[in-house]
Amino acid sequence: MVERPSLEEVVEFAENREPRCPCVLVLDTSGSMQGEKIDALNAGLRAFRDDLLRDPVARKRVEIAVVAFDDEVRVAHDFVTADRFEPPTLTAQGLTRMGVAIHTALDMVQERKARYNEVGVTYYRPWVFMITDGDPQGELFTFVDDAGRRARKEESNNRVVFYTVAVEGADIRRLKQMGLRTPLRLKGLKFEEMFVWLSRSMHAVAGSKAGRKASLPIPRWGAR
């Protein structure tokens, strides 16, 4: 059951009637991300926000949420438009509860679309963008497999766009089972370049006509 919108949401949707382009960042904050990786990830989040703010359309249309996963899965930032997004500072510890994180992100997308429908705001197909350097840990394999099946089904039915980015150390074979798309490999610690690419992709989607495929930039931060 979707909760009634808060007064703040009612005011925000009344003041900004632009179509929405929701994007959930699903970010691995497990122990293997400690050190340079988590620092680069945090810098990338700030670069993502800064680049989105440079586009007057994207800053009002792109909505960002952040789900972090390690021993626990938590919503580090709920949906807000880019002009209101304050990147959280993430820390790394523990295991990799990836299955719960995927389910949480997909639940959030479903609830957000219901909210758009309730307030009469149109929207583009939501993006779920997962970044990880590991493989699922601390969960039943059946639960993780169920999360992968759900992600594939949602994308095959055109309800989401689901990307997985594999940081050095990730189990590519396992990650291939988590979605329809082949995981993108991050070259070194090029998190900032990756997030700028994501921002430019959001620019392209938010500036396109609903229902039409946007032309996305080439991900030059990727490794082969």
Side-chain angles (χ1 to χ4, degrees):
M1 180 178 178
V2 179
E3 296 180 359
R4 299 290 297 176
S6 65
L7 178 59
E8 183 181 7
E9 278 188 312
V10 170
V11 172
E12 199 276 331
F13 280 120
E15 292 179 344
N16 179 6
R17 301 297 296 173
E18 292 288 333
R20 297 303 202 271
C21 180
C23 177
V24 185
L25 304 175
V26 185
L27 306 178
D28 184 348
T29 53
S30 62
S32 57
M33 288 288 290
Q34 285 182 346
E36 291 183 335
K37 289 181 182 179
I38 200 70
D39 291 342
L41 176 60
N42 283 317
L45 282 173
R46 295 189 293 270
F48 180 51
R49 184 270 316 274
D50 293 346
D51 196 74
L52 281 171
L53 292 181
R54 295 188 180 99
D55 186 304
V57 174
R59 64 187 295 153
K60 290 294 186 180
R61 292 188 176 186
V62 176
E63 286 195 342
I64 308 155
V66 179
V67 173
F69 63 99
D70 42 62
D71 282 334
E72 299 179 352
V73 174
R74 60 201 172 280
V75 179
H77 206 305
D78 211 342
F79 281 111
V80 292
T81 46
D83 59 351
R84 298 168 59 215
F85 178 59
E86 293 294 336
T89 299
L90 302 172
T91 57
Q93 66 279 313
L95 301 176
T96 314
R97 296 189 181 276
M98 188 183 299
V100 178
I102 291 172
H103 278 298
T104 299
L106 294 175
D107 288 344
M108 290 177 68
V109 164
Q110 185 174 331
E111 292 169 5
R112 198 61 178 169
K113 289 193 290 187
R115 178 73 79 237
Y116 297 147
N117 290 331
E118 186 175 359
V119 298
V121 167
T122 58
Y123 58 89
Y124 298 88
R125 185 156 46 135
W127 281 40
V128 175
F129 199 80
M130 183 171 72
I131 303 170
T132 179
D133 74 335
D135 59 336
Q137 295 176 336
E139 302 173 305
L140 293 173
F141 287 121
T142 52
F143 185 78
V144 174
D145 290 342
D146 181 62
R149 281 193 296 271
R150 183 180 177 191
R152 293 192 297 273
K153 181 178 179 181
E154 289 295 292
E155 179 150 33
S156 65
N157 289 329
N158 294 320
R159 290 195 282 260
V160 298
V161 176
F162 191 97
Y163 278 99
T164 300
V165 175
V167 182
E168 184 178 347
D171 183 344
I172 296 294
R173 181 193 60 79
R174 189 73 175 100
L175 292 181
K176 285 181 178 179
Q177 301 170 8
M178 306 310 292
L180 291 177
R181 300 170 187 265
T182 300
L184 298 170
R185 297 172 185 259
L186 182 67
K187 186 185 298 182
L189 294 176
K190 293 190 174 183
F191 283 94
E192 290 193 45
E193 293 180 30
M194 178 196 65
F195 273 110
V196 169
W197 172 86
L198 179 59
S199 172
R200 300 296 166 82
S201 298
M202 293 290 97
H203 291 189
V205 173
S208 66
K209 290 186 178 180
R212 291 191 179 181
K213 188 174 181 179
S215 178
L216 304 182
I218 298 171
R220 300 189 185 281
W221 44 268
R224 296 186 177 182

